[in-house]
């Protein structure tokens, strides 16, 4: 059962829209087994959601992404959990990670422009009790995201002519 789960998770992590019948064939099990296993992993919190990866640069919407390193003072008995929860409750925040190194948390978010992100950092994030400092990094270009290559090299499809 454990091996089936690992194989199933590996496949749907790369393509969550795969047909259940196709998934059952790949795994060599009945479709009902796939459905039951997916439902079990959803109820256990192993599968937390299904997401679509979008290359926003190819749309007409303006979006900018930022990574914000945050240094905080851990709270007695709570560590970093309370401050992390206060940060991830903001709707503009995509992710919050506890990290090693010179900073404690890594926050990712998207905004319409630099001003929107800088306002979030200065008015909301930096104003939280326990936040000591932040360092904001704007993503200029995405080459690969969630295992998917976004910036493919241009391949010349013209026929080569040699003398």
């Amino acid at each position: 059962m454990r091996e089936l789960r690992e194989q199933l998770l590996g496949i749907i992590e790369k393509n969550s829209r795969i047909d259940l019948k196709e998934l059952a064939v790949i795994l060599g099990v009945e479709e009902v087994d796939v459905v039951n296993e997916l439902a079990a992993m959803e109820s256990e919190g192993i599968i937390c959601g299904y997401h679509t990866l979008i290359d926003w640069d190819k749309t007409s919407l303006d979006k900018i992404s930022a990574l914000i390193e945050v240094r905080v003072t851990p709270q007695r008995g709570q560590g970093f959990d309370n401050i992390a929860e206060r940060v991830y409750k903001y709707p503009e925040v995509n992710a919050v990670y506890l990290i090693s190194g010179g900073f404690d948390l890594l926050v990712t978010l998207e905004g319409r422009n630099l001003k929107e992100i800088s306002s979030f950092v200065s008015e909301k994030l930096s104003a939280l009790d326990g936040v000591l400092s932040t360092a904001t990094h704007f993503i200029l270009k995405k080459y690969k995201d969630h295992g998917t290559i976004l910036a493919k090299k241009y391949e010349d499809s013209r026929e080569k002519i040699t003398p």
Side-chain angles (χ1 to χ4, degrees):
M1 191 60 74
R2 181 177 171 184
E3 186 177 319
L4 173 65
R5 280 188 167 201
E6 290 172 0
Q7 289 176 335
L8 183 56
L9 291 171
I11 293 168
I12 66 168
E13 183 178 35
K14 290 179 177 51
N15 180 7
S16 63
R17 292 187 55 172
I18 189 168
D19 183 67
L20 295 175
K21 289 178 185 174
E22 185 179 345
L23 199 48
V25 169
I26 292 169
L27 296 170
V29 297
E30 297 294 320
E31 185 178 348
V32 68
D33 295 331
V34 171
V35 170
N36 290 339
E37 203 57 43
L38 286 172
M41 288 190 287
E42 288 170 1
S43 69
E44 293 170 29
I46 294 170
I47 297 175
C48 303
Y50 300 90
H51 303 279
T52 303
L53 180 61
I54 299 169
D55 187 349
W56 290 106
D57 290 341
K58 294 180 180 174
T59 70
S60 60
L61 294 175
D62 287 330
K63 281 198 177 203
I64 186 163
S65 300
L67 305 171
I68 305 164
E69 296 171 309
V70 185
R71 188 173 292 124
V72 300
T73 303
Q75 296 176 339
R76 187 172 295 213
Q78 296 292 318
F80 298 99
D81 294 347
N82 276 352
I83 190 81
E85 182 180 358
R86 290 171 63 200
V87 173
Y88 71 62
K89 284 187 175 180
Y90 286 111
E92 53 268 65
V93 171
N94 289 335
V96 178
Y97 305 100
L98 180 62
I99 60 173
S100 62
F103 287 87
D104 304 305
L105 300 175
L106 179 66
V107 178
T108 66
L109 66 128
E110 290 178 341
R112 290 182 302 230
N113 52 46
L114 295 173
K115 185 176 181 180
E116 194 172 274
I117 289 177
S118 66
S119 292
F120 171 81
V121 173
S122 63
E123 296 169 13
K124 295 179 180 177
L125 187 60
S126 296
L128 290 174
D129 287 338
V131 172
L132 301 174
S133 65
T134 64
T136 303
H137 308 275
F138 291 99
I139 296 176
L140 304 177
K141 183 175 182 178
K142 291 182 182 180
Y143 294 97
K144 187 175 184 178
D145 194 0
H146 290 85
T148 301
I149 297 171
L150 301 175
K152 296 189 178 176
K153 283 186 171 182
Y154 170 76
E155 292 183 25
D156 192 350
S157 60
R158 296 179 294 176
E159 226 177 285
K160 294 185 176 162
I161 300 175
T162 57

